[in-house]
């Protein structure tokens, strides 16, 4: 078996054997496959596609190149993955709520990518929080607390790390087959029994088109199920931010408000409840999704999820009194500036990607991989679709390091909004369920 013969078959769109894909994935991880050959494989997959079976083989082959976690626990191992958006801090709410409901949640998360925020970046706004731990410590934390949100170690799916770097420079990042294998090889390496997927659609999503979002959701669900993991997906709205805030510390503030009961009923809260109900049902901890939603809502409203979140923060190096003193513990920007519309009206549409890009340019995200983040900057009080904005109600409030930085993004934020005389109907939070 050799790379050249596999590449010829992939170029012609011919099905590969399971052994060929496993060999190629191992070759990527071990360096026997060159960057040029990995790039040729990525381009062949991007142009010719993979069969359902070959997607499963590639996913399983890549996860097997690293460590696959094994568990001996008294409850199911569950998780959630989002394809990314603006103001999407669901993971911080959902992991502790699932733990309260009897699940174990080894949530391996990532950093911000482009205009979208990263779960690890949000957590690192909490002073002292460690996102990098070894596999043994992760297993101990999950067994003791029920949840841990951390970054992937180098031992998790090393083939994906190398292939992703090649995809980035060969223009093949958008391939649904490669996206599927990349996401699931890391998630399933955590030894999950069930997974719920949050596939975003709308102006702030990577898949802005509904057909593309549906295709990705179907691919992810079919592949996860083919790899032996119970899985379903919700296609959810990203035509506006998922929360009233975008920016690392600002989103943690909104999370803490939801955990402590002061923002029940918001889009962020409702999305958390819906995703949690879905995965509790998949994992056998609820009779159905509706029963699961009730359990997640109770975990949040009772304060138990807040307590579990505090335990996780303390165990990972954050303040032991974070739940009680979070207002004092989080960093804040030095400058705040409200952005008002030129004329009053109702919000008819939002270029949500532009809002995410404003946060990046304020310093809340990365323009290049080496950029250092300012955790306190971002946007708060973001006006949703249907809201009336005028000289008193702003489009958003900018939190910036300097007045110059705030002024530089004010125009971008103003241009991101389309206003109308009458308030339109709000878009549905959940568009469709797959699986």
């Amino acid at each position: 078996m050799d790379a050249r013969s596999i590449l010829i078959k992939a170029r012609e769109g011919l099905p590969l054997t399971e052994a060929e894909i496993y060999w190629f994935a191992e070759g990527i991880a071990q360096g026997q496959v060159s960057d040029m050959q990995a790039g040729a494989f990525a381009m062949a997959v991007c142009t010719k596609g993979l069969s359902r079976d070959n997607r499963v083989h590639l996913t399983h082959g890549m996860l097997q190149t690293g460590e696959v976690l094994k568990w001996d626990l008294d409850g199911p191992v569950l998780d959630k993955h989002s394809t990314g958006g603006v103001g999407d801090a669901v993971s911080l709410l959902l992991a502790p709520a699932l733990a309260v409901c009897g699940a174990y949640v080894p949530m391996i998360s990532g950093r911000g990518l482009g205009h979208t925020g990263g779960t690890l970046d949000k957590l690192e706004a909490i002073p002292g929080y460690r996102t990098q731990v070894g596999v043994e410590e992760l297993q101990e934390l999950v067994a003791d607390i029920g949840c841990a949100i951390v970054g992937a170690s180098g031992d998790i799916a090393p083939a994906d790390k190398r292939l992703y770097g090649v995809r980035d420079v060969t223009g093949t990042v958008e391939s649904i087959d490669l996206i599927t294998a990349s996401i699931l090889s890391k998630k399933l390496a955590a030894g999950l029994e069930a997974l719920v997927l949050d596939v975003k659609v709308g102006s702030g999503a990577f898949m802005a088109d509904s057909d593309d979002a549906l295709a990705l959701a179907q691919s992810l669900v079919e592949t996860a199920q083919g790899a032996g993991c119970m899985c379903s997906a919700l296609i959810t709205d990203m035509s506006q931010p998922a929360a009233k805030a975008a920016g690392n510390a600002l989103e943690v503030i909104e999370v803490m408000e939801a955990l402590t009961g002061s923002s029940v009923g918001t889009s962020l809260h409702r999305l958390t409840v819906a995703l949690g109900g879905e995965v509790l049902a998949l994992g056998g901890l609820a009779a159905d999704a509706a029963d699961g939603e009730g359990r997640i809502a109770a975990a949040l409203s009772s304060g138990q999820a807040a307590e579990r979140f505090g335990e996780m923060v303390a165990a990972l190096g954050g303040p032991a009194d974070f739940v009680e003193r979070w207002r004092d513990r989080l960093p804040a920007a030095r400058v705040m500036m409200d952005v008002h519309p030129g004329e009053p009206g109702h919000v008819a549409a939002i270029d949500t990607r532009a809002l995410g890009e404003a946060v990046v340019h304020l310093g809340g995200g990365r323009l290049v991989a080496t950029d250092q983040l300012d955790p306190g900057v971002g946007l708060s009080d973001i006006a949703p679709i249907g809201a009336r904005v005028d000289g008193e109600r702003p489009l958003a409030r900018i939190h910036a390091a300097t007045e110059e930085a705030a002024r530089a993004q004010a125009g971008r934020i103003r241009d991101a909004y389309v206003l109308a005389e009458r308030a339109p109907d709000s878009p549905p939070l959940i568009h469709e369920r797959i699986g």
Side-chain angles (χ1 to χ4, degrees), residues 384-427:
I385 292 174
R388 178 172 173 78
V389 291
D390 50 32
E392 294 184 4
R393 169 68 191 269
L395 299 169
R397 174 171 290 174
I398 298 175
H399 298 246
T402 65
E403 288 190 13
E404 181 182 12
R407 286 195 297 269
Q409 298 309 312
R412 185 194 299 266
I413 293 163
R414 196 173 287 113
D415 291 344
Y417 278 84
V418 176
L419 304 185
E421 290 185 9
R422 296 184 179 180
D425 293 333
S426 294

Side-chain angles (χ1 to χ4, degrees), residues 15-18 21-22 41 45 48-63 175-182 184-185 188 215-224 226-227:
L16 299 169
T17 67
E18 182 175 4
I21 290 181
Y22 273 49
F41 176 78
V45 172
K48 295 294 186 177
L50 291 175
S51 68
R52 176 186 177 277
D53 286 346
N54 276 181
R55 276 200 313 271
V56 172
H57 297 152
L58 181 59
T59 300
H60 210 259
M62 293 203 311
L63 77 86
S175 163
I176 284 180
D177 293 317
L178 296 177
I179 291 170
T180 298
S182 178
L184 293 179
S185 63
L188 300 186
L216 177 59
Q218 290 173 331
S219 174
L220 286 164
V221 170
E222 289 176 357
T223 304

